[in-house]
Amino acid sequence: MTDPVFDPDLLSRCISCGFCLPACPTYAATGDEASSPRGRINLMRALQNGDLDPYDPTLQEQTSQCLGCRACEPVCPAGVEYGQLLEQWRDHQWKGRRQPLLARALMLAAGMRHLFRPLGALRRTARGAPAPLPPAEPVSLMLGCFERVLFPTVSRAARKLAPELSVPADQGCCGALHAHNGDTAAGERLARRMGDDLPGTIVTTSGGCAAHLASVLGQDRVRELSAHLADRGATGELRVNGRRARVALQDSCHLRNGLGVWKQPRALIGQVADYVELPSAATCCGAAGTYSLLRPRESRRILDAKIQEIEAAGVDYVAAVNPGCLRQLRTGLRRARSRVKAVHIAELLARAAQHHPPT
């Protein structure tokens, strides 16, 4: 008898009530039951029971089409942990040559930790020891793998906002990329290594990384930056053309749906600017880790609707709490030739702290 693909306890929780359907972006786009969490769980059950061939094209298509945003989890009355089921599904479906080639290449690159230190130094990411009189327990800033290369100013802004953060130089990938792309074993191994490399509480500027690390190391070890800053609040004021800036937020799906962190970034933005809630702020922007690279057509369709909404809101900035979302938003805004600027929340708050409101 072969080992089951899915944890039977996780798979049995779904009662097929349909509460997940309105929350699912792919179901909203297609109207296809197979493209909903309920439909995908029925496919998982068919695979588990041997009613579907493991190489059935529908299985492969649906493991790829799902954004993995986990928007179905907060609305599920039965507490289905869909994110874990999806990772188990991709572990099975994306074995060997069936794993998307681009995802494999990205994971290979992310695993080359010896490259990140010189690249980070070249890009001038944050570095150094914590400020004097640190907290009783050390607090470490996770630089991230691709974030330190693509957005080095984010870690520097985080350090300005929280000078108590130490920045250990020898750190690699947290494994979120691997866990979401069919290699949860490597994802868990890298997360544990990150836990060994970074002392004390780990603070990250990536919502997706925070959710993955917390699932492996425990929520008591991991904090996303806005949650870390929530108690002290934000200072200063962000102004545009002599007035208080108008700022929207794009949630990180895993941060909101996996860790329940969404109020904190809104509160911080509201302390330094006029916060504007986007109708779809809580729904995926189409970045979804590697989704925008693996399924660019569907990703762009989601993003284009998001950009139209941002434009209609009349905001000056849209803040992100995840580097993948930041890249996605900047791509869409640039393509639309929009005047709205996409920034990471760390950069937004650091910019505001440099200016104080008029007395």
Side-chain angles (χ1 to χ4, degrees), residues 24 32 40 42 46 57 61 87 123 158 178 256 320-321 333:
C24 178
D32 182 4
R40 291 183 178 116
N42 284 333
E61 168 66 11
E87 290 179 359
R123 296 285 283 159
H178 302 72
R256 180 179 180 121
V321 287
L333 291 168

Side-chain angles (χ1 to χ4, degrees), residues 3-52:
D3 293 332
V5 177
F6 306 99
D7 182 329
D9 291 335
L10 292 178
L11 199 58
S12 66
R13 291 184 195 174
C14 178
I15 57 176
S16 297
C17 64
F19 275 83
C20 58
L21 299 183
C24 178
T26 52
Y27 177 76
T30 65
D32 182 4
E33 172 73 16
S35 298
S36 71
R38 180 175 67 181
R40 291 183 178 116
I41 287 175
N42 284 333
L43 290 173
M44 294 178 198
R45 286 171 171 162
L47 173 63
Q48 183 95 323
N49 297 333
D51 297 328
L52 271 180

Side-chain angles (χ1 to χ4, degrees), residues 56-133:
D56 187 290
T58 302
L59 295 177
Q60 195 74 0
E61 168 66 11
Q62 289 304 326
T63 53
S64 174
Q65 189 196 56
C66 180
L67 288 155
C69 66
R70 298 171 62 178
C72 50
E73 291 188 21
V75 300
C76 178
V80 174
E81 296 178 58
Y82 180 84
Q84 286 194 47
L85 289 171
L86 178 63
E87 290 179 359
Q88 292 171 9
W89 199 11
R90 287 180 175 171
D91 275 359
H92 179 270
Q93 294 300 131
W94 289 3
K95 284 181 180 177
R97 294 182 179 180
R98 286 182 288 164
Q99 188 176 59
L101 184 60
L102 182 56
R104 196 184 316 165
L106 289 171
M107 288 189 286
L108 181 65
M112 296 178 179
R113 61 183 287 142
H114 62 282
L115 292 178
F116 290 124
R117 186 170 185 176
L119 286 173
L122 183 66
R123 296 285 283 159
R124 296 177 57 240
T125 53
R127 59 182 180 177
L133 301 176

Side-chain angles (χ1 to χ4, degrees), residues 69-345:
C69 66
R70 298 171 62 178
C72 50
E73 291 188 21
V75 300
C76 178
V80 174
E81 296 178 58
Y82 180 84
Q84 286 194 47
L85 289 171
L86 178 63
E87 290 179 359
Q88 292 171 9
W89 199 11
R90 287 180 175 171
D91 275 359
H92 179 270
Q93 294 300 131
W94 289 3
K95 284 181 180 177
R97 294 182 179 180
R98 286 182 288 164
Q99 188 176 59
L101 184 60
L102 182 56
R104 196 184 316 165
L106 289 171
M107 288 189 286
L108 181 65
M112 296 178 179
R113 61 183 287 142
H114 62 282
L115 292 178
F116 290 124
R117 186 170 185 176
L119 286 173
L122 183 66
R123 296 285 283 159
R124 296 177 57 240
T125 53
R127 59 182 180 177
L133 301 176
E137 181 182 345
V139 187
S140 303
L141 177 64
M142 193 193 86
L143 294 172
C145 46
F146 293 108
E147 181 181 293
R148 79 180 74 176
V149 178
L150 296 176
F151 306 113
T153 56
V154 171
S155 60
R156 297 203 299 267
R159 191 86 195 289
K160 289 178 182 177
L161 295 166
E164 73 277 8
L165 295 172
S166 66
V167 190
D170 187 22
Q171 50 175 293
C173 176
C174 73
L177 181 67
H178 302 72
H180 299 159
N181 286 278
D183 194 351
T184 55
E188 291 177 1
R189 184 174 65 253
L190 289 168
R192 292 192 186 96
R193 182 167 183 177
M194 183 70 74
D196 293 337
D197 289 343
L198 302 188
T201 300
I202 299 172
V203 174
T204 170
T205 50
S206 169
C209 296
H212 170 67
L213 278 173
S215 71
V216 179
L217 303 179
Q219 293 193 27
D220 59 328
R221 282 272 339 254
V222 183
R223 301 191 86 185
E224 183 271 333
L225 180 66
S226 65
H228 181 68
L229 297 174
D231 291 340
R232 78 186 71 181
T235 61
E237 185 177 59
L238 196 63
R239 300 182 70 81
V240 174
N241 298 327
R243 59 171 172 80
R244 195 171 168 90
R246 289 169 53 82
V247 182
L249 175 75
Q250 170 60 42
D251 278 303
S252 159
C253 295
H254 283 85
L255 184 65
R256 180 179 180 121
N257 301 321
L259 289 182
V261 175
W262 58 276
K263 293 181 180 179
Q264 296 93 324
R266 286 165 170 79
L268 291 168
I269 292 171
Q271 290 166 16
V272 301
D274 289 339
Y275 177 69
V276 179
E277 180 74 17
L278 297 174
S280 71
T283 62
C284 188
C285 65
T290 58
Y291 192 89
S292 62
L293 303 175
L294 300 180
R295 300 190 67 115
R297 182 178 301 177
E298 291 96 330
S299 174
R300 178 164 179 171
R301 189 179 301 123
I302 295 169
L303 176 60
D304 286 347
K306 182 80 66 174
I307 297 301
Q308 291 176 14
E309 189 175 278
I310 292 171
E311 286 282 278
V315 296
D316 303 296
Y317 297 93
V318 55
V321 287
N322 192 68
C325 302
L326 179 58
R327 185 191 67 83
Q328 178 86 334
L329 292 171
R330 285 185 177 176
T331 298
L333 291 168
R334 183 170 57 250
R335 190 163 53 219
R337 297 183 179 180
S338 173
R339 66 171 185 82
V340 181
K341 296 178 181 179
V343 296
H344 192 280
I345 191 170

